[in-house]
Amino acid sequence: FLSYLLFGHGINVDLQTDATLQVDISDALSERDKVKFTVHTKSTLPNFKQNEFSVVRQHEEFIWLHDSFVENEEYAGYIIPPAPPRPDFDASREKLQKLGEGEGSMTKEEFTKMKQELEAEYLAIFKKTVAMHEVFLCRVAAHPVLRKDLNFHVFLEYNQDLSVRGKNKREKMEDFFKNVVKSADGVLVAGVKDVDDFFEHEKTFLLEYHNRVKDASAKSDRMIRSHKSAADDINRIASTLYTLGTQDSTDVCKYWTKLFPLFSKLSKIEARVAADEDLKLADLLKYYLRESQAAKDLLYRRGRALVDYENANKALDKARAKNKDVLQAETSQQVCCQKFEKISESAKQELIDFKTRRVAAFRKNLVELAELELKHAKGNLQLLQSCLGVLKGDT
Amino acid sequence: MAAEMEPPPLGNAGETDFRELEDGEDLFVSTVTTLEYPEPSSPEPASLPAEDISINSNGPKQKDVSFDDDPEDLFAEATEEVSLDSPEREPILSDGPSPAITPVTPTTMLTPRMDLGARCRIEEDNNGDTFDIHIAVSDPEKVGDGMNAYMGYKVTTKTSMTIFNKNETTVRRRFSDFLGLHSKLASKYLHIGYIVPPAPEKSIVGMTKVKVGKEDLSSAEFVEKRRSALERYLMRTVKHPVLLKDPDVIMFLESSELPRAVSTQALSGAGILRMVNKAADAVNKMTIKMNESDAWFEEKHQQFENLDLQLRKLHASVESLVCHRKELSVNTASFAKSAAMLGNSEDHTALSRALSQLAEVEEKIDRLHQDQAYADFYLFSELLGDYVRLITAVKSVFDQRMKTWSKWQDTQLLLQKKRESEAKLQFANKPDKLQQAKDEIKELEGKVEQGEKDFELISKTIRKEVSRFEKERVKDFKAVIIKYLESLVQTQQQLIKYWEAFLPEAKAIA
């Protein structure tokens, strides 16, 4: 399961990283309130001291890296790979704690069973968060420009703590206000009609697409949760069947005893179906929710640059008309122009790549989803039919 | 485990335990005629019902007891269509183009013990006419308006048995009629140890919605649930060989007009009396400390307590499953719509099409979940609910036995007291009082003897009833479980179809 997740997590298929730089998370350790990831790098690039090395990083350091990309003006024209979500074990931990408190009120078997289930849940969440962090790194390593970033290399190689503390309250407030300003600005900028058809189309498309992915992601989560609940119910039915089977020696008991393993296996399969749907569908949608946001951010930056350019043009005209500070206005206009053109050029390619990646990822995941659903349905069918055969043939 | 105390499981019924009980046998050899049982040694007095059972007496005569329970017990072999076949059921369970339910193969027909009662009626191959009756409850129709409105149901009885006047009868009944029938049967048979199947429960909320005329999905579901429950109730009642011949049952099924059963109303005088009696019974149960000399009863009692507990748990889990599956269906439909929207806005043509196909698949799957939820409910959940209620009836029969014992013991104590006072009177020289005492003692002696007979009788009856109940239980559960599993099979087969159709679409994304 671990390797299945870590190798080619289907979210980004085109990340066939070449031998010059390969990054993966080879290990992870979950401690009380943090997760420690072991980032492992293999590289033939000259700027690294060794060809293969590992460091230990925490979530905040990933965020630091991501934010450094966002704040870097040089990268304004690229889709910045979305930051991995914070590892969230709170719910799972709470459940384990409640179980521990309620230990006295249930039988030993019930307790062991529940503990196993909760531990499996915890492990699944853990593996997912590892995969998310790894995908982020792989995306960076696959990007022709970002992979050369100095901060990235420091992140990969520097074997001491990066001393990146999480943002304190004041900084978080600053971030909050920055976001408010940004979204207000974003609305203004989006209102400006683009001369370029390609970008105009992309703008409309991304806006709608992002909203719909958000909706689909939420609905798929709800669907999968119901599925898990149903699987849990089947599990409970199996337990009661087991108890019934051991109760008395009448003929009905034979049925309970035969039905118990059936329902037990059925519940496991249903749980797997829900888990696979989660992996192939829900995770896919969540990821593209974040990436489409990153693409929107790119368009925003370009739009911003366009507005700045147009304003600079107007300022230049004014300056020329008044014949005052013309040189200053000219340089300013040139800077804006260059910035805008640079962003536009790389943005176009980025958006095209985004589409390619998206289509490939959806294809891979939808195919795998269908294959897994088929596999499980066939498994269920076989179990049911063989049980039916036994029951019917039994006189 | 005192296995030898338990009534033998099906198949070998009656060899050891019940042979000696057929002491009334020889009386009835000549009255075998109408019901045509293959074994003349297991007669069923056909003319019995009219005279004896309708008397509400405490001491039924031996005749009542000699219903079959010997090795060739017909009712173990008899088959009847499982009542879930009524036409209203079809659309719910057989949605989808490929019905995958494999009909029961003929090979099982010839083995006389367990039949599967699947969708076909299997005729017993022995000799000729057997227990053959099919009751359908259908066509719920609202009669009247406002708070006095009620639902009328059509009850159709198809039978070849001669205790009925016609081969096919149709009558209209309302819910309180069913309750009235149950109430009469319970008052006649419970106290002598027969397990009378309980009637479906009243539901003030559900019924009010219907009365008020709310034409929504939940009231339609309520009516269907009730209709199905009434049908199962009637089938269970007639499956009981003694109850089948009860004149009240026959009248219920055949006569076009039935006196209105007002005493079934919850807030009527009779209803309140019932509640008071129930409370009194509960108190009595706690105070009666019975000297159980029969380990069989002790064991069975415990078994039923355990079974009750587990069945309730199972029922709760299945109800939860039904609920979550309905939820899953709703959420799947909602996701399908969302996926369709996403497909619309996707600007890559092939991916867009694939997403629309995904939306269609999910929509089909949501209906599949809904159908499965119905099957979960009507097959599994309702069966469990019925059995939980039946076990309550079984437990009450055990309680009746306790009450009978208690009565017997009380009479004995009274006799003892009277004897003591008689002894005293011997020396008091009061000849009339002495004579009176002697008379009373004679009377009480008779009563004590009767009490003992009653107790033995009810014990005997209960043993038979429990054995019959357990046989029925096995049959019932097996038939329903098989149907339920078949419904699950069908769901999986459909799922496979849908995903197999989708897979090439997904692969076609270029």
Side-chain angles (χ1 to χ4, degrees):
Chain A
F1 194 0
L2 187 73
S3 60
Y4 161 72
L5 266 187
L6 292 183
F7 273 89
H9 193 229
I11 302 265
N12 275 282
V13 191
D14 275 355
L15 305 182
Q16 307 307 324
T17 47
D18 50 83
T20 55
L21 181 61
Q22 277 178 335
V23 184
D24 65 87
I25 296 184
S26 59
D27 195 8
L29 187 64
S30 170
E31 288 183 359
R32 176 171 301 274
D33 55 354
K34 56 188 169 216
V35 180
K36 292 199 170 133
F37 303 95
T38 304
V39 179
H40 167 250
T41 314
K42 261 210 223 154
S43 174
T44 55
L45 291 176
N47 42 320
F48 292 115
K49 294 197 193 76
Q50 295 165 296
N51 280 356
E52 190 170 347
F53 48 90
S54 293
V55 294
V56 177
R57 292 285 173 246
Q58 291 182 39
H59 176 74
E60 287 75 21
E61 292 164 309
F62 285 76
I63 300 300
W64 164 82
L65 183 60
H66 170 263
D67 290 350
S68 76
F69 289 151
V70 172
E71 286 156 15
N72 189 334
E73 288 265 341
E74 289 294 304
Y75 302 144
Y78 305 124
I79 297 181
I80 309 293
R86 200 180 71 86
D88 183 13
F89 296 101
D90 289 346
S92 186
R93 236 180 246 130
E94 212 180 281
K95 280 192 211 167
L96 272 168
Q97 197 175 10
K98 269 208 198 125
L99 179 68
E101 285 167 10
E103 184 173 356
S105 67
M106 54 179 89
T107 69
K108 185 133 201 303
E109 297 138 357
E110 280 177 353
F111 177 73
T112 327
K113 195 151 171 256
M114 277 213 75
K115 186 153 169 277
Q116 276 173 353
E117 280 168 20
L118 284 181
E119 281 175 350
E121 199 181 294
Y122 188 92
L123 191 62
I125 300 177
F126 182 68
K127 283 179 182 160
K128 255 210 227 181
T129 192
V130 166
M132 296 289 160
H133 285 74
E134 191 183 70
V135 160
F136 169 69
L137 292 178
C138 292
R139 275 273 275 124
V140 175
H143 194 282
V145 174
L146 294 176
R147 78 208 308 245
K148 300 187 202 138
D149 181 83
L150 187 60
N151 283 337
F152 184 47
H153 290 182
V154 168
F155 177 94
L156 290 175
E157 200 180 21
Y158 185 60
N159 58 7
Q160 306 285 343
D161 191 355
L162 289 176
S163 298
V164 169
R165 54 172 177 73
K167 300 198 169 157
N168 64 23
K169 254 202 196 133
R170 190 172 62 93
E171 283 163 341
K172 283 193 185 153
M173 284 297 274
E174 282 176 0
D175 272 355
F176 174 71
F177 281 118
K178 258 196 241 169
N179 274 332
V180 170
V181 168
K182 181 172 151 211
S183 30
D185 197 27
V187 172
L188 279 168
V189 164
V192 173
K193 180 132 173 53
D194 207 315
V195 180
D196 188 329
D197 277 341
F198 173 81
F199 284 104
E200 187 58 31
H201 165 82
E202 284 297 308
K203 202 163 56 171
T204 337
F205 163 71
L206 269 175
L207 197 60
E208 193 185 57
Y209 187 78
H210 176 79
N211 287 336
R212 296 200 175 164
V213 166
K214 202 192 254 180
D215 188 54
S217 173
K219 302 254 165 74
S220 81
D221 279 346
R222 265 213 291 265
M223 176 176 82
I224 290 167
R225 257 203 301 273
S226 299
H227 216 137
K228 274 207 193 110
S229 302
D232 284 342
D233 286 328
I234 299 178
N235 200 12
R236 247 169 299 189
I237 290 174
S239 298
T240 318
L241 286 173
Y242 176 74
T243 316
L244 277 166
T246 56
Q247 259 191 347
D248 58 66
S249 47
T250 61
D251 274 355
V252 191
C253 270
K254 280 203 291 185
Y255 295 119
W256 301 141
T257 319
K258 282 197 192 108
L259 289 177
F260 157 67
L262 172 70
F263 277 86
S264 178
K265 290 196 195 112
L266 284 179
S267 95
K268 286 205 179 71
I269 293 183
E270 282 309 305
R272 275 311 308 237
V273 171
D276 286 339
E277 284 176 351
D278 197 23
L279 211 60
K280 298 292 163 193
L281 197 55
D283 280 355
L284 176 73
L285 293 170
K286 278 197 199 80
Y287 187 82
Y288 278 94
L289 180 61
R290 293 203 299 278
E291 266 240 27
S292 58
Q293 182 62 48
K296 273 170 70 179
D297 290 344
L298 169 61
L299 281 182
Y300 162 71
R301 290 195 291 272
R302 178 179 172 277
R304 180 80 252 162
L306 178 59
V307 168
D308 289 344
Y309 180 35
E310 286 178 350
N311 288 343
N313 270 337
K314 289 196 196 123
L316 181 58
D317 287 343
K318 240 204 231 164
R320 282 196 180 136
K322 288 190 188 159
N323 209 352
K324 185 183 172 191
D325 294 323
V326 173
L327 190 59
Q328 195 185 26
E330 269 178 358
T331 12
S332 167
Q333 191 255 28
Q334 256 183 357
V335 164
C336 283
C337 176
Q338 273 170 357
K339 183 168 170 207
F340 172 69
E341 279 174 359
K342 180 167 176 234
I343 291 181
S344 284
E345 195 182 310
S346 58
K348 190 162 193 169
Q349 190 54 49
E350 287 282 299
L351 288 168
I352 291 172
D353 288 346
F354 171 58
K355 181 164 169 172
T356 317
R357 271 201 312 275
R358 184 176 80 240
V359 172
F362 268 80
R363 181 186 192 280
K364 179 169 192 279
N365 280 283
L366 288 178
V367 167
E368 287 175 359
L369 175 71
E371 285 173 347
L372 284 167
E373 295 269 3
L374 273 171
K375 175 173 155 212
H376 293 314
K378 287 183 179 156
N380 271 342
L381 185 65
Q382 199 198 28
L383 275 175
L384 287 165
Q385 281 175 330
S386 84
C387 187
L388 263 174
V390 171
L391 283 180
K392 280 184 179 171
D394 190 33
T395 46
Chain B
M1 282 282 232
E4 52 280 6
M5 286 305 235
E6 244 179 69
L10 26 101
N12 321 319
E15 299 276 278
T16 51
D17 279 17
F18 299 120
R19 261 295 164 211
E20 74 266 19
L21 297 176
E22 308 295 333
D23 26 6
E25 240 171 85
D26 1 53
L27 291 176
F28 300 108
V29 170
S30 56
T31 62
V32 160
T33 54
T34 44
L35 288 172
E36 299 175 73
Y37 288 90
E39 294 288 321
S41 64
S42 53
E44 195 66 30
S47 54
L48 182 58
E51 318 121 38
D52 295 80
I53 295 181
S54 44
I55 300 170
N56 222 338
S57 67
N58 244 344
K61 296 148 193 106
Q62 278 297 55
K63 299 190 265 183
D64 287 359
V65 176
S66 61
F67 72 90
D68 285 299
D69 205 346
D70 51 359
E72 281 73 38
D73 183 11
L74 292 160
F75 298 105
E77 300 161 322
T79 72
E80 56 284 330
E81 265 180 39
V82 176
S83 58
L84 294 160
D85 270 0
S86 60
E88 288 85 317
R89 177 78 56 246
E90 299 311 319
I92 296 173
L93 284 183
S94 61
D95 202 13
S98 61
I101 296 180
T102 48
V104 176
T105 57
T107 52
T108 56
M109 272 199 259
L110 300 175
T111 54
R113 285 301 150 206
M114 285 310 298
D115 58 79
L116 302 172
R119 288 186 166 214
C120 43
R121 180 185 303 192
I122 304 168
E123 303 293 333
E124 168 60 26
D125 260 352
N126 280 351
N127 350 355
D129 217 55
T130 65
F131 175 78
D132 164 33
I133 177 170
H134 174 55
I135 302 182
V137 174
S138 59
D139 300 308
E141 242 174 56
K142 188 164 156 202
V143 177
D145 261 320
M147 285 314 284
N148 286 327
Y150 64 89
M151 273 307 207
Y153 301 90
K154 188 162 91 173
V155 178
T156 311
T157 310
K158 290 201 183 101
T159 176
S160 58
M161 297 178 83
T162 48
I163 50 173
F164 291 94
N165 285 335
K166 293 191 271 185
N167 275 3
E168 181 167 339
T169 326
T170 303
V171 293
R172 284 207 77 85
R173 296 281 179 255
R174 55 185 288 187
F175 186 65
S176 56
D177 294 334
F178 290 81
L179 292 184
L181 175 66
H182 169 74
S183 161
K184 287 201 195 110
L185 293 176
S187 65
K188 282 194 241 175
Y189 294 101
L190 254 187
H191 67 268
I192 48 175
Y194 288 99
I195 301 172
V196 177
E201 283 165 351
K202 278 175 163 304
S203 164
I204 298 181
V205 174
M207 221 23 225
T208 312
K209 269 204 239 172
V210 171
K211 287 186 191 192
V212 163
K214 218 166 169 242
E215 294 269 335
D216 65 357
L217 188 62
S218 71
S219 35
E221 275 182 13
F222 171 77
V223 171
E224 173 55 30
K225 184 174 163 185
R226 177 164 277 193
R227 184 212 63 79
S228 167
L230 290 173
E231 198 173 83
R232 293 195 306 273
Y233 165 65
L234 284 180
M235 282 306 287
R236 283 218 175 84
T237 305
V238 297
K239 274 193 219 172
H240 194 299
V242 171
L243 296 180
L244 170 60
K245 302 200 202 77
D246 183 284
D248 280 317
V249 170
I250 298 182
M251 196 163 74
F252 180 91
L253 292 174
E254 284 198 324
S255 74
S256 46
E257 287 294 314
L258 214 57
R260 175 96 188 276
V262 272
S263 62
T264 58
Q265 282 165 341
L267 296 178
S268 67
I272 302 211
L273 187 64
R274 260 201 304 278
M275 282 197 284
V276 168
N277 278 337
K278 259 198 195 150
D281 277 348
V283 171
N284 278 338
K285 207 162 106 172
M286 291 191 284
T287 54
I288 296 178
K289 179 100 176 57
M290 178 161 169
N291 241 344
E292 188 56 80
S293 54
D294 194 341
W296 183 91
F297 278 94
E298 180 117 15
E299 201 179 290
K300 278 294 164 192
H301 189 83
Q302 191 55 50
Q303 252 177 37
F304 280 115
E305 291 284 341
N306 291 342
L307 190 62
D308 187 31
L309 189 65
Q310 294 307 321
L311 280 183
R312 276 179 206 269
K313 238 167 100 175
L314 191 60
H315 188 215
S317 298
V318 175
E319 278 187 328
S320 175
L321 177 62
V322 171
C323 181
H324 284 132
R325 255 217 244 268
K326 281 198 187 145
E327 202 181 89
L328 177 59
S329 162
V330 166
N331 288 340
T332 306
S334 152
F335 172 71
K337 286 202 192 79
S338 186
M341 296 285 275
L342 185 63
N344 267 342
S345 65
E346 171 60 62
D347 63 354
H348 184 274
T349 344
L351 179 55
S352 168
R353 195 177 55 235
L355 284 171
S356 308
Q357 299 283 24
L358 179 68
E360 269 179 41
V361 167
E362 293 289 351
E363 208 181 297
K364 290 193 195 130
I365 289 179
D366 112 64
R367 281 200 288 270
L368 210 58
H369 283 310
Q370 207 177 35
D371 292 347
Q372 184 59 63
Y374 276 126
D376 289 345
F377 180 71
Y378 281 104
L379 288 176
F380 209 0
S381 177
E382 287 283 84
L383 172 76
L384 290 171
D386 284 351
Y387 266 89
V388 166
R389 281 193 292 275
L390 264 170
I391 287 188
T392 313
V394 172
K395 291 206 296 190
S396 79
V397 148
F398 274 77
D399 290 343
Q400 291 294 332
R401 177 174 170 269
M402 257 183 23
K403 266 166 90 171
T404 313
W405 179 85
S406 170
K407 192 160 165 226
W408 172 34
Q409 296 300 314
D410 289 346
T411 322
Q412 256 188 334
L413 274 170
L414 195 58
L415 175 64
Q416 202 177 347
K417 277 210 190 101
K418 282 286 173 190
R419 285 206 173 120
E420 283 169 9
S421 65
E422 190 224 11
K424 284 197 198 124
L425 284 174
Q426 292 269 13
F427 300 109
N429 206 6
K430 289 190 187 141
D432 346 312
K433 281 244 167 90
L434 189 59
Q435 187 53 44
Q436 188 187 27
K438 281 205 203 286
D439 290 337
E440 281 173 355
I441 287 177
K442 198 114 196 223
E443 198 186 322
L444 279 175
E445 277 174 351
K447 280 208 180 129
V448 165
E449 206 178 297
Q450 186 60 48
E452 185 171 3
K453 272 203 203 137
D454 287 346
F455 179 69
E456 276 170 14
L457 185 63
I458 197 178
S459 301
K460 215 158 52 174
T461 309
I462 291 180
R463 286 183 119 115
K464 277 193 193 166
E465 282 287 282
V466 164
S467 150
R468 197 187 63 84
F469 173 77
E470 287 184 333
K471 279 189 212 160
E472 279 301 311
R473 178 159 61 110
V474 180
K475 264 202 315 194
D476 246 354
F477 270 105
K478 187 173 184 184
V480 173
I481 293 287
I482 286 178
K483 260 206 168 166
Y484 179 61
L485 291 185
E486 283 172 345
S487 82
L488 289 177
V489 162
Q490 202 184 20
T491 302
Q492 295 304 315
Q493 284 172 331
Q494 287 292 83
L495 272 177
I496 290 176
K497 252 180 69 179
Y498 297 150
W499 287 110
E500 272 177 350
F502 174 73
L503 190 55
E505 295 286 340
K507 287 190 171 156
I509 303 171

